[in-house]
Amino acid sequence: MDTENENSLDANQQPEGEQHPKEVITKITGMYKDWFLDYASYVILERAVPALEDGFKPVHRRIMQSMKDLDDGRYNKVANIVGHTMQYHPHGDASIGDAMVQLGQKELLIDTQGNWGNILTGDRAAASRYIEARISKFALDVVYNPKITEWQASYDGRRKEPINLPVMFPLLLAQGAEGIAVGLSTRILPHNFIELIDATVKHLQGKKFTIYPDFPTSGIMDVSNYNDGLRGGKLRVRAKISQRDKNTLVVNEIPYSTTTTTLIESIIKANEKGKIKVKHIEDNTAENVEILIHLPNNISPDRTIDALYAFTNCEISISPLSCIIMGHKPHFIGVSEILRLSTDHTVNLLKSELEIKLEEFQEQWHFASLERIFIEKRIYRDIEEEETWDGVIQAIDKGLQPHIGHLKRAITENDIVRLTEIRIKRISKFDIDKAQQKIEALEDEIAQIKHHLEHLIEYAIDYFKKLKKNHGEGRERKTELRLFEDIEATKVIIRNTKLYVNRKEGFVGTALKKDEYVTDCSDIDDIICFTEDGTMKVTKVDDKTYIGKNIIHVAVFKKKDKRTIYNLIYRDGKNGNSHVKRFAVTSITRDREYSVGKGKPGTKIHYFSANPNGEAEVVTVYLRQVGSIKKLKFEIDFAEILIKGRNSKGNIASKHPIKKVELKEEGVSTLKPRKIWFDETVKRLNVDERGELLGEFRGEDRILLITQDGMLTTIVPELTTRFDLPYIVMEKWQPKKPLTAVYWEGEKERYYVKRFFVDNQDKEENIISDHPKSQLELISTDYIPVLEIVYRKARGKEQRPNDEINLEEFISIKGIKAQGNQLTTESVTQLNLLEPIASAEEETEEIPEVKNETGDFTQNIEKGDDEDKSQTKLFDD
């Protein structure tokens, strides 16, 4: 409605033909602005955003006050509490009931009874008439104190409700809060109870602290971008997934804000889209989460775990937004500042509480002193002759005056009136000694409170430590903090489609099923193509894509792949020289055409090979008979060609026309072995020099893994492998190097030693006995290990000296299943591996120098051969 329209009617103007003298037209210009502002302010302040002082939204504050009104130590029907809350809260019972269920599920302020729903499965709570609640002991300790509570009239003026409850704990951070208001929202995540108290104590001590969220659903969390809970921060939360066997994964913990139902639905959806392969899923969740994911045969569990994180709700991102009400206005402040302000507020509340207690004890001391004087000095007899009330008051006042010099304040008429109310029976049984003891006890209390006020910070620290002691049991951190490795979706997605090529016409795609099959791929892969005219192009997998006629190579493209080396011989231009070159393609602009040479018309590839491990073959080049050429055949060994940049022109192979090129000899890898590191932080292998160096690996090399419970296996070092078990041995496996194990044999209760080789590299085996009490003590991968035995001192005998044993001489090499030799019959207190004896066999393996390639590919790229700096090298995904 346009309220400023020139045709709008004035209040006193009537249209022709109509006479309504009693009707008045009022303009609404500007009214909606005030109405909207009032409504927005109401939603922000009274519904959606919690207050800093007590951490409550109004509905939660009113629920807690109603529970206090009804509290008698027993459970109350939630329906009854909801009905009572409606005296304070001007909204329906449904909203109050839902808010109360949210409070109850946080298991902090409310003791619940009945079916309150399940945050793990997403099941709703039973109706409010079927469930019960009462105030928890923690809430009774920290939430209520009517003496220091500020009150205001309820919405209808019939009752008094607290402006803020005197909460003496950072409750807002412990419970978290979410709300959507008009124009803003808040999302404060829950934090750990014990860690909040520890951080509070550090703040009071003037120390630095850091706090991170902790979720009731547990899980694993990466807090590297938390940003103190402010706008722009982000958390990554993952389910905890373990491998039960080679075909079964188990989810035992789920990310916050998800449920087992939504998690399973996301897995099923990813399976239907072909991003992962799952046989079937079992949900055995009851008190604890247990989701079994059964995999088809020949599907890698490690790769599937990564795919679950990449394509399902097994990993989610949470964006916090810390907004609170402070000073009757919304403020955006970090969780660390919220904790500081909350702690300072608690200190002020403790001070107010102490001051009230001091005043109460001083009043008790004052009246106890008056009472003693009144009775001990028999002043009550002075009123026997008085006939008027004023006379009684004056007589008592006169009688007290000689004895009140030590009192802290003047006597009032109310004090004298209280003295007149003392019964005769109490006067007759008055004990001066007991009265004096009471006064002295009150003086001790007063002195203690004054001491607390003078040392308020120390008192507050003791208060928080007491809270931790009384209520911290069972509230340890549930969510594990860990840095996450980035998962590349293209590396873990299941190859869910097939790629075909029509080489002559120049088309590639997944819909060309009548043409030549190339490889399995996924719908998010990129493919690299080379054509006979020397054109190279990388494009997204699609149903049908035109590349160019006479395609000679198609493959799935791996970004940043330094080990796939392309060998080729090509003619540069129609009448140009022929060149030979080797290069890798590590980055490229998608859908841009590149030339293997300088892009001259008539360029033609004579020979091409793609080598996934940098193989270098030998080829025979045949020249055309032109003029007086004498040598029409010669060989090129690609191992002698340096690997250079993709834009390098290469070495001249021949200035004469080439007739054909034939493969003479298959090549071997010219790349150095890959150095592989293990990063303990993310529990992954890497080639980026993060963590501990495991060694240099060729294609057939494996990693030796041994766990504390004696399970041994060897694996191919794939960067997608997860290492969630606590391995005590993780190193490059040397098949000719024996292993030496010292273990406790549970059945015979003796230490045994065994030396063995790994017989089956593909089989996981137990290197100790199967007895439940058997345990691995020491494991050595040295050729000649030396063991020190420390014996237990027998009673009444001298300490037996330690023995040093050459274990190579002690026992010969046997099978991996052999029991081994008994180490000793004596009682042992300690076993130590000493410095091993040097062996002739233990010589460092020499790695041949490779002149073609180094571990860092860029070292062999010629200057000026990099990609055009004006072009982006990253994909626009």
Side-chain angles (χ1 to χ4, degrees):
M1 180 177 181
D2 186 2
T3 55
E4 300 296 334
N5 195 303
E6 293 179 345
N7 295 325
S8 60
L9 298 178
D10 188 85
N12 299 318
Q13 180 182 353
Q14 301 294 332
E16 294 183 8
E18 296 185 15
Q19 295 297 326
H20 299 287
K22 293 184 179 181
E23 290 186 6
V24 178
I25 298 176
T26 304
K27 292 185 178 182
I28 63 171
T29 303
M31 282 188 176
Y32 70 92
K33 297 179 182 178
D34 295 335
W35 293 341
F36 182 80
L37 183 60
D38 292 343
Y39 172 70
S41 301
Y42 170 74
V43 173
I44 293 170
L45 301 176
E46 298 295 328
R47 290 178 65 176
V49 185
L52 170 69
E53 289 79 6
D54 57 7
F56 288 125
K57 297 178 184 179
V59 63
H60 297 136
R61 185 180 303 115
R62 289 158 180 163
I63 288 171
M64 295 305 298
Q65 182 58 39
S66 295
M67 292 187 71
K68 183 63 175 175
D69 294 342
L70 299 171
D71 182 49
D72 57 2
R74 297 182 297 175
Y75 288 98
N76 283 290
K77 288 283 187 183
V78 169
N80 188 22
I81 299 172
V82 170
H84 193 277
T85 305
M86 292 179 72
Q87 298 179 74
Y88 299 111
H89 196 60
H91 295 281
D93 58 341
S95 62
I96 299 173
D98 291 343
M100 189 168 181
V101 168
Q102 292 174 7
L103 274 180
Q105 289 178 341
K106 292 174 181 177
E107 299 180 346
L108 190 60
L109 301 179
I110 299 177
D111 286 340
T112 60
Q113 186 167 272
N115 177 17
W116 280 67
N118 191 328
I119 60 172
L120 301 177
T121 62
D123 295 336
R124 292 180 59 83
S128 58
R129 60 185 178 276
Y130 298 125
I131 56 178
E132 298 178 327
R134 67 181 177 188
I135 303 173
S136 69
K137 292 181 180 179
F138 171 75
L140 289 171
D141 284 350
V142 305
V143 173
Y144 303 103
N145 190 332
K147 296 176 182 178
I148 57 175
T149 302
E150 295 184 32
W151 303 87
Q152 64 183 1
S154 62
Y155 71 95
D156 60 2
R158 288 187 172 91
R159 300 182 68 88
K160 294 291 185 182
E161 65 171 326
I163 298 175
N164 289 300
L165 286 167
V167 176
M168 292 185 284
F169 179 78
L171 188 64
L172 175 58
L173 298 179
Q175 292 194 131
E178 293 187 33
I180 300 175
V182 179
L184 61 81
S185 63
T186 185
R187 191 174 198 185
I188 300 172
L189 301 175
H191 293 68
N192 181 262
F193 182 93
I194 296 174
E195 291 176 4
L196 285 176
I197 292 180
D198 292 342
T200 297
V201 171
K202 285 183 179 179
H203 169 60
L204 292 173
Q205 293 172 340
K207 300 178 181 178
K208 294 182 178 180
F209 63 88
T210 305
I211 52 174
Y212 296 117
D214 185 28
F215 305 126
T217 55
S218 300
I220 313 168
M221 176 175 59
D222 185 339
V223 297
S224 54
N225 295 318
Y226 183 44
N227 194 31
D228 206 35
L230 289 168
R231 187 197 310 270
K234 185 177 72 171
L235 291 176
R236 295 167 63 190
V237 189
R238 288 180 176 175
K240 185 167 284 188
I241 309 175
S242 58
Q243 183 180 340
R244 175 169 293 184
D245 54 53
K246 64 179 182 179
N247 290 326
T248 309
L249 301 177
V250 184
V251 179
N252 294 118
E253 298 173 8
I254 61 177
Y256 180 66
S257 77
T258 67
T259 65
T260 55
T261 302
T262 58
L263 195 71
I264 291 172
E265 287 175 353
S266 71
I267 296 173
I268 293 173
K269 187 175 180 181
N271 183 62
E272 290 173 347
K273 290 185 175 181
K275 297 182 183 297
I276 60 175
K277 282 188 179 179
V278 173
K279 186 184 291 183
H280 68 279
I281 303 173
E282 291 181 52
D283 187 4
N284 299 330
T285 302
E287 182 179 356
N288 298 311
V289 172
E290 185 181 82
I291 300 173
L292 302 181
I293 304 173
H294 298 276
L295 307 178
N297 293 330
N298 303 321
I299 294 295
S300 166
D302 287 325
R303 186 181 290 269
T304 302
I305 291 174
D306 282 350
L308 288 170
Y309 289 144
F311 303 116
T312 75
N313 285 349
C314 288
E315 179 182 328
I316 63 170
S317 294
I318 300 176
S319 298
L321 179 57
S322 181
C323 177
I324 59 166
I325 299 300
M326 185 171 60
H328 212 60
K329 293 180 181 179
H331 291 267
F332 293 90
I333 58 176
V335 294
S336 298
E337 185 64 18
I338 290 177
L339 183 69
R340 295 186 188 97
L341 294 173
S342 176
T343 302
D344 296 341
H345 180 66
T346 298
V347 172
N348 291 332
L349 291 177
L350 289 171
K351 181 181 179 182
S352 299
E353 189 178 59
L354 287 173
E355 289 172 345
I356 291 173
K357 285 184 178 179
L358 177 62
E359 185 178 349
E360 290 175 347
F361 280 124
Q362 286 176 337
E363 284 299 307
Q364 292 178 32
W365 179 87
H366 178 78
F367 186 75
S369 300
L370 281 179
E371 183 183 59
R372 179 184 173 184
I373 297 169
F374 182 72
I375 298 174
E376 184 181 357
K377 303 302 180 181
R378 301 180 184 276
I379 295 174
Y380 55 85
R381 291 186 173 180
D382 296 346
I383 65 175
E384 294 176 353
E385 304 298 329
E386 299 296 332
E387 296 181 355
T388 64
W389 177 250
D390 289 341
V392 170
I393 298 298
Q394 291 174 7
I396 296 175
D397 185 36
K398 183 178 178 181
L400 291 172
Q401 288 303 320
H403 311 289
I404 61 173
H406 66 289
L407 297 183
K408 302 294 190 295
R409 66 171 178 83
I411 301 174
T412 64
E413 185 175 341
N414 288 335
D415 294 333
I416 298 175
V417 171
R418 285 186 64 189
L419 291 174
T420 63
E421 294 172 352
I422 300 175
R423 296 185 178 184
I424 298 297
K425 182 177 181 181
R426 184 174 174 187
I427 294 175
S428 64
K429 292 185 176 182
F430 185 76
D431 188 325
I432 294 178
D433 291 336
K434 286 185 178 180
Q436 183 60 33
Q437 290 175 5
K438 179 181 178 182
I439 291 173
E440 290 175 356
L442 289 171
E443 289 174 347
D444 291 341
E445 292 285 354
I446 291 171
Q448 186 179 31
I449 292 175
K450 287 183 177 179
H451 178 270
H452 290 333
L453 285 169
E454 291 171 357
H455 303 83
L456 188 59
I457 300 302
E458 290 83 352
Y459 176 73
I461 291 173
D462 291 340
Y463 167 80
F464 281 110
K465 288 181 176 179
K466 185 178 178 181
L467 280 184
K468 180 179 176 180
K469 179 181 178 181
N470 294 341
H471 304 286
E473 185 177 354
R475 299 187 186 275
E476 292 77 16
R477 169 167 283 278
K478 293 184 177 181
T479 304
E480 178 185 349
L481 301 181
R482 185 192 299 176
L483 286 175
F484 292 167
E485 73 287 1
D486 292 327
I487 297 174
E488 293 187 32
T490 54
K491 291 184 178 180
V492 298
I493 192 170
I494 298 295
R495 304 303 183 195
N496 56 2
T497 187
K498 297 182 184 298
L499 182 66
Y500 302 88
V501 60
N502 185 325
R503 296 182 184 274
K504 185 176 181 181
E505 298 299 325
F507 289 96
V508 295
T510 58
L512 308 176
K513 296 184 179 181
K514 294 182 180 180
D515 294 306
E516 177 187 344
Y517 164 75
V518 178
T519 183
D520 287 350
C521 65
S522 71
D523 52 11
I524 66 171
D525 277 335
D526 292 291
I527 54 174
I528 185 169
C529 304
F530 290 83
T531 59
E532 191 178 297
D533 63 359
T535 300
M536 179 186 70
K537 186 176 182 180
V538 174
T539 187
K540 198 82 173 173
V541 167
D542 206 343
D543 293 343
K544 185 177 181 180
T545 303
Y546 180 73
I547 301 297
K549 292 187 177 182
N550 300 317
I551 296 173
I552 61 173
H553 176 73
V554 181
V556 174
F557 178 67
K558 299 177 182 178
K559 188 167 61 172
K560 300 180 181 178
D561 181 10
K562 298 179 181 180
R563 296 188 71 83
T564 298
I565 304 300
Y566 300 97
N567 301 338
L568 75 139
I569 300 172
Y570 72 98
R571 183 186 67 208
D572 188 23
K574 188 173 183 179
N575 298 312
N577 297 332
S578 294
H579 297 263
V580 57
K581 64 186 290 187
R582 302 182 73 201
F583 63 95
V585 180
T586 56
S587 62
I588 205 166
T589 303
R590 185 187 287 129
D591 294 324
R592 175 183 169 184
E593 292 186 352
Y594 296 85
S595 175
V596 297
K598 293 301 180 181
K600 296 179 181 179
T603 297
K604 180 182 179 181
I605 293 179
H606 295 297
Y607 176 84
F608 179 93
S609 69
N611 307 279
N613 202 34
E615 291 82 359
E617 64 271 30
V618 178
V619 297
T620 303
V621 179
Y622 296 90
L623 301 179
R624 294 185 183 277
Q625 180 67 55
V626 178
S628 59
I629 300 176
K630 295 180 180 180
K631 189 176 181 181
L632 298 177
K633 184 178 82 170
F634 61 91
E635 293 179 357
I636 294 178
D637 185 353
F638 278 99
E640 298 176 354
I641 307 299
L642 292 176
I643 299 173
K644 299 186 178 182
R646 187 188 64 245
N647 283 354
S648 169
K649 193 172 185 178
N651 300 339
I652 294 178
S654 175
K655 295 182 179 180
H656 304 289
I658 293 177
K659 181 179 180 181
K660 64 178 179 177
V661 179
E662 292 181 349
L663 175 66
K664 178 182 179 183
E665 183 181 324
E666 294 284 352
V668 295
S669 176
T670 59
L671 302 183
K672 279 188 176 181
R674 281 199 307 174
K675 289 185 178 181
I676 295 181
W677 286 261
F678 175 68
D679 189 344
E680 176 66 29
T681 305
V682 299
K683 310 289 187 184
R684 287 293 186 94
L685 303 176
N686 68 88
V687 293
D688 304 321
E689 302 185 16
R690 299 193 315 269
E692 178 186 356
L693 178 64
L694 299 183
E696 298 184 351
F697 291 78
R698 298 183 184 274
E700 67 278 2
D701 290 337
R702 302 171 76 92
I703 296 176
L704 173 67
L705 300 172
I706 304 176
T707 63
Q708 185 63 63
D709 57 4
M711 298 306 296
L712 177 147
T713 187
T714 67
I715 65 167
V716 176
E718 295 182 0
L719 302 186
T720 57
T721 305
R722 312 184 68 82
F723 296 89
D724 292 327
L725 294 178
Y727 293 104
I728 59 173
V729 174
M730 179 188 292
E731 61 183 49
K732 182 180 177 181
W733 176 47
Q734 299 183 39
K736 296 182 180 180
K737 200 173 186 181
L739 302 178
T740 307
V742 181
Y743 70 98
W744 175 261
E745 214 294 318
E747 182 178 358
K748 298 182 179 181
E749 297 185 344
R750 289 285 188 272
Y751 286 106
Y752 280 78
V753 180
K754 60 190 293 187
R755 281 167 63 80
F756 57 92
F757 289 113
V758 178
D759 299 325
N760 190 340
Q761 66 181 20
D762 297 315
K763 182 180 179 182
E764 185 179 41
E765 298 189 80
N766 188 0
I767 63 175
I768 62 177
S769 66
D770 295 330
H771 194 277
K773 292 186 178 179
S774 296
Q775 59 183 14
L776 182 63
E777 292 293 330
L778 298 170
I779 185 76
S780 173
T781 57
D782 296 313
Y783 280 100
I784 308 178
V786 178
L787 178 69
E788 179 187 41
I789 304 177
V790 182
Y791 296 99
R792 188 181 304 279
K793 184 179 182 300
R795 182 175 296 178
K797 296 184 180 181
E798 293 185 1
Q799 173 70 49
R800 179 174 174 174
N802 299 346
D803 281 340
E804 292 186 8
I805 300 176
N806 181 329
L807 294 180
E808 184 195 40
E809 298 174 351
F810 183 79
I811 182 174
S812 60
I813 295 174
K814 301 180 180 180
I816 194 170
K817 291 297 184 182
Q819 184 179 61
N821 293 353
Q822 183 173 289
L823 181 63
T824 180
T825 58
E826 299 294 327
S827 181
V828 175
T829 61
Q830 195 170 347
L831 298 172
N832 302 313
L833 282 174
L834 303 180
E835 189 71 23
I837 298 174
S839 168
E841 298 171 306
E842 198 169 11
E843 295 180 356
T844 304
E845 182 181 355
E846 292 293 334
I847 299 175
E849 289 293 328
V850 182
K851 62 182 179 180
N852 303 24
E853 172 66 334
T854 65
D856 183 0
F857 172 75
T858 57
Q859 291 180 2
N860 284 333
I861 296 180
E862 293 183 346
K863 291 184 179 180
D865 289 337
D866 290 345
E867 181 64 49
D868 182 0
K869 303 302 181 183
S870 64
Q871 298 292 332
T872 176
K873 291 191 178 183
L874 301 178
F875 288 108
D876 298 324
D877 290 327

